[in-house]
């Protein structure tokens, strides 16, 4: 998964700047968000989905969320969650009704701009009708109070996703659908926002979210943690993982705040790998451009039955002690997938292929196999191997987005690009992609255009062959 969840055979992983609430959204993305709403609708309802063909009800139409302020209280014994979510948003069309994504849990009240609003539940949709219709361009605030026992959703590939209870808390990893299991959201990568988290848990437990730790206070047997994620983030990359953790804090060059949380049962295996995180981030920044965030770190939980890690923004979450390849993979996602996000799940190779190829580059530059040798080993697989089961640029449905073709054949597509344009141009392309789309979004079509511009070569035929043709491609 990555989430970054990676194929089971390779431990399925998913894997400094302004401090403002983001008031704008790129025009291209704003157009997509607005396009999800029905044009000329008599009732001016926001659409119940963002228009994604793989997950039709993920996300919503008619508005853009600028900021989430989440206040959570979780009892690790009863597994009960109390939540208040305050969303600051802007209408991209006239809205007499709009949806949020929320699975399970009991909503006790909804307010729009401090005025009570009507609401109903329709499957995963929380349908809200404000007292007064919202004008196009209007800034508004939605407050949702809710409670209950959060339960994960089951993804099309059979994996659990979202708020997953553990023996000492919860493992919280939301790709692709799980954010809605613990807070009401516009749950699609198209809509990115800044976040504040205030999480209260029993004393002795630690609650770890995204961004910078703003405060920690214990009273009356409960500890409250406050986290702030300033840079824009897709909902599926949010976490609020809770458990008994050993915490290590440090400040990296450039002022990046490092926060590692490791379950003591995983510490012996995890700590040698975690110590390499600063050097891995430095190496990746040398290739892809400056690290995109003011916070970094990792969450290593003891939840081996989950079977994957996820590149939760600024602080990937691992279900057990990761190996170095997994650390490199999830760290690469901070550029590819987190900072540069998808506009549709079909393009997930832009996340997974890039992170997988980063593993190849790291091996190549640190005394391991060359990327060409890794490519050759994969290409030697017979035509009936699952690697060639479907093209990575169009897996076909949500049940295939975390399969081997997306990860490995996606990386092979990048290697063929590298062979076509040469090393210098290839590394220039990767850096340009990460820097030009920083904090934003990108599509496969945009990447192909950028690759041709940066290299001066016509690379579309090569990439289309490796990304979209069925079966085992021919190679030069």
């Amino acid at each position: 998964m990555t989430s970054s969840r990676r194929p089971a055979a390779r431990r399925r992983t998913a894997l400094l700047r302004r401090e403002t609430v983001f008031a704008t959204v790129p025009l291209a993305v704003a157009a997509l968000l607005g396009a999800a709403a029905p044009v000329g609708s008599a009732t001016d309802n926001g659409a119940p989905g963002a228009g994604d063909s793989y997950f039709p009800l993920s996300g919503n139409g008619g508005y853009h969320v600028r900021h989430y302020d989440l206040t959570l209280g979780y009892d690790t014994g009863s597994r009960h969650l109390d939540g208040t979510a305050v969303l600051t948003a802007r209408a991209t069309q006239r809205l007499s009704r709009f949806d949020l994504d929320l699975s399970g849990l009991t909503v006790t009240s909804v307010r729009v701009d401090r005025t009570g609003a009507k609401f109903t539940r329709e499957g995963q949709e929380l349908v809200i009708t404000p007292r007064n219709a919202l004008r196009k361009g209007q800034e508004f605030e939605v407050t949702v109070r809710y409670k209950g026992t959060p339960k994960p959703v089951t993804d099309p590939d059979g994996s659990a996703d979202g708020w997953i209870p553990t023996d000492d808390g919860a493992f919280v990893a939301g790709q692709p659908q799980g954010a809605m299991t613990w807070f009401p959201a516009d749950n699609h990568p198209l809509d990115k926002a800044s976040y504040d988290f205030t999480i209260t848990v029993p004393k002795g437990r630690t609650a770890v979210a995204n961004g910078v730790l703003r405060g920690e206070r214990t009273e009356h047997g409960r500890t409250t943690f406050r986290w702030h994620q300033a840079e824009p983030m897709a909902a599926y990359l949010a976490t609020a993982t809770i458990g008994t953790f050993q915490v290590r804090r440090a400040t990296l060059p450039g002022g990046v705040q490092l926060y590692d949380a490791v379950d003591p049962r995983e510490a012996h295996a995890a700590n040698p790998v975690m110590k390499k995180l600063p050097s891995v981030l430095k190496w990746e920044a040398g290739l892809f451009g400056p690290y995109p965030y003011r916070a970094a770190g990792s969450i290593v939980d003891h939840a081996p039955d989950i079977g994957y890690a996820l590149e939760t923004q600024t602080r990937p979450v691992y279900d057990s002690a990761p190996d170095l390849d997994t650390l490199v993979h999830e760290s690469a996602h901070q550029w590819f997938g987190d900072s540069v996000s998808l506009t549709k799940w079909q393009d997930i190779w832009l996340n997974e292929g890039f992170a997988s190829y980063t593993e190849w580059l790291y091996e190549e530059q640190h005394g391991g196999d060359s990327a060409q040798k890794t490519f050759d080993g994969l290409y030697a697989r017979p035509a009936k191997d699952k690697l060639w089961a479907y093209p990575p640029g169009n897996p076909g449905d949500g049940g295939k987005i975390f399969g081997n073709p997306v990860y490995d054949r996606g990386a092979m597509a990048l290697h063929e690009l590298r062979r076509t344009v040469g090393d210098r141009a290839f590394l220039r392309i990767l850096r340009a992609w990460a820097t030009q789309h920083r904090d934003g979004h990108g599509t496969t079509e945009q990447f192909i255009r950028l690759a041709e511009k940066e290299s001066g070569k016509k690379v579309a035929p090569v990439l289309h062959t490796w990304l979209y043709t069925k079966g085992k491609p021919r190679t030069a």
Side-chain angles (χ1 to χ4, degrees), residues 179-330:
M180 65 182 178
T181 66
W182 59 284
F183 68 98
D186 190 11
N187 192 22
H188 191 278
L190 266 175
D191 203 12
K192 298 168 70 170
S194 57
Y195 282 73
D196 280 295
F197 305 85
T198 302
I199 309 169
T200 300
V201 294
K203 181 180 178 181
R205 301 292 196 269
T206 300
V208 191
N210 312 83
V212 175
L213 181 64
R214 284 284 187 82
E216 177 181 339
R217 183 184 73 255
T218 299
E219 58 184 11
H220 308 302
R222 308 272 286 174
T223 303
T224 298
F225 297 83
R226 294 188 298 109
W227 296 89
H228 178 65
Q229 170 59 47
E231 299 87 358
M233 178 170 73
Y236 81 89
L237 296 169
T239 189
T241 294
I242 297 164
T244 304
F245 295 118
Q246 296 175 353
V247 172
R248 178 172 68 98
R249 303 181 67 176
T251 301
L252 303 181
V256 175
Q257 298 299 303
L258 180 74
Y259 188 104
D260 284 331
V262 180
D263 188 297
R265 293 168 288 185
E266 300 290 337
H268 179 75
N271 287 341
V273 179
M274 292 299 104
K275 288 179 181 178
K276 295 182 180 292
L277 179 58
S279 65
V280 167
L281 293 176
K282 181 180 180 180
W283 173 79
E284 290 177 338
L287 291 180
F288 311 139
Y291 178 70
Y293 307 113
R294 69 189 68 192
S298 53
I299 308 168
V300 182
D301 208 342
H302 180 73
D305 291 341
I306 289 172
Y308 63 83
L310 175 64
E311 68 272 23
T312 44
Q313 191 159 304
T314 71
R315 193 161 292 109
V317 57
Y318 304 92
D319 67 336
S320 58
D323 59 21
L324 183 56
D325 282 348
T326 304
L327 184 79
V328 169
H329 184 108
E330 302 305 327

Side-chain angles (χ1 to χ4, degrees), residues 25-36:
V25 63
L27 291 177
V29 176
L32 287 169
L33 290 168

Side-chain angles (χ1 to χ4, degrees), residues 43-358:
T43 54
D44 299 309
N45 295 340
D52 194 290
S53 61
Y54 287 8
F55 298 94
L57 290 178
S58 290
N60 299 286
Y63 62 91
H64 160 57
V65 181
R66 293 170 44 211
H67 184 71
Y68 291 86
D69 190 342
L70 305 178
T71 301
L72 308 172
Y74 187 64
D75 185 275
T76 54
S78 66
R79 296 183 174 177
H80 180 85
L81 176 71
D82 288 300
T84 300
V86 181
L87 287 64
T88 304
R90 178 176 58 83
T92 58
Q93 64 168 79
R94 188 177 187 276
L95 285 174
S96 59
R97 194 182 84 179
F98 61 92
D99 290 16
L100 292 171
D101 299 308
L102 185 65
S103 174
L105 303 173
T106 299
V107 175
T108 57
S109 69
V110 176
R111 300 176 71 85
V112 176
D113 287 337
R114 301 183 181 183
T115 300
K118 295 180 180 179
F119 63 92
T120 59
R121 306 294 297 274
E122 298 177 8
Q124 71 179 53
E125 302 297 313
L126 172 60
V127 183
I128 299 171
T129 304
R131 180 171 297 180
N132 299 306
L134 303 169
R135 305 181 307 277
K136 181 178 179 179
Q138 180 178 340
E139 300 282 339
F140 64 99
E141 184 179 276
V142 184
T143 302
V144 181
R145 298 185 185 277
Y146 56 100
K147 63 182 180 180
T149 302
K151 297 179 180 179
V153 295
T154 300
D155 291 329
D157 64 356
S159 60
D161 171 17
W163 189 285
I164 306 172
T166 61
D167 61 1
D168 62 352
F171 180 94
V172 183
Q175 187 182 34
Q177 305 177 90
M180 65 182 178
T181 66
W182 59 284
F183 68 98
D186 190 11
N187 192 22
H188 191 278
L190 266 175
D191 203 12
K192 298 168 70 170
S194 57
Y195 282 73
D196 280 295
F197 305 85
T198 302
I199 309 169
T200 300
V201 294
K203 181 180 178 181
R205 301 292 196 269
T206 300
V208 191
N210 312 83
V212 175
L213 181 64
R214 284 284 187 82
E216 177 181 339
R217 183 184 73 255
T218 299
E219 58 184 11
H220 308 302
R222 308 272 286 174
T223 303
T224 298
F225 297 83
R226 294 188 298 109
W227 296 89
H228 178 65
Q229 170 59 47
E231 299 87 358
M233 178 170 73
Y236 81 89
L237 296 169
T239 189
T241 294
I242 297 164
T244 304
F245 295 118
Q246 296 175 353
V247 172
R248 178 172 68 98
R249 303 181 67 176
T251 301
L252 303 181
V256 175
Q257 298 299 303
L258 180 74
Y259 188 104
D260 284 331
V262 180
D263 188 297
R265 293 168 288 185
E266 300 290 337
H268 179 75
N271 287 341
V273 179
M274 292 299 104
K275 288 179 181 178
K276 295 182 180 292
L277 179 58
S279 65
V280 167
L281 293 176
K282 181 180 180 180
W283 173 79
E284 290 177 338
L287 291 180
F288 311 139
Y291 178 70
Y293 307 113
R294 69 189 68 192
S298 53
I299 308 168
V300 182
D301 208 342
H302 180 73
D305 291 341
I306 289 172
Y308 63 83
L310 175 64
E311 68 272 23
T312 44
Q313 191 159 304
T314 71
R315 193 161 292 109
V317 57
Y318 304 92
D319 67 336
S320 58
D323 59 21
L324 183 56
D325 282 348
T326 304
L327 184 79
V328 169
H329 184 108
E330 302 305 327
S331 298
H333 275 306
Q334 302 308 305
W335 284 265
F336 305 117
D338 292 11
S339 179
V340 184
S341 299
L342 304 175
T343 64
K344 54 184 177 181
W345 284 109
Q346 177 184 322
D347 278 343
I348 194 171
W349 86 275
L350 289 170
N351 296 7
E352 302 307 340
F354 281 56
S356 296
Y357 197 73
T358 302

Side-chain angles (χ1 to χ4, degrees), residues 407-424:
Y407 289 73
D408 291 334
R409 186 172 158 180
M412 295 173 83
L414 290 174
H415 189 71
E416 286 291 90
L417 172 63
R418 178 184 176 183
R419 290 175 51 178
T420 301
V421 304
D423 284 5
R424 285 190 178 182

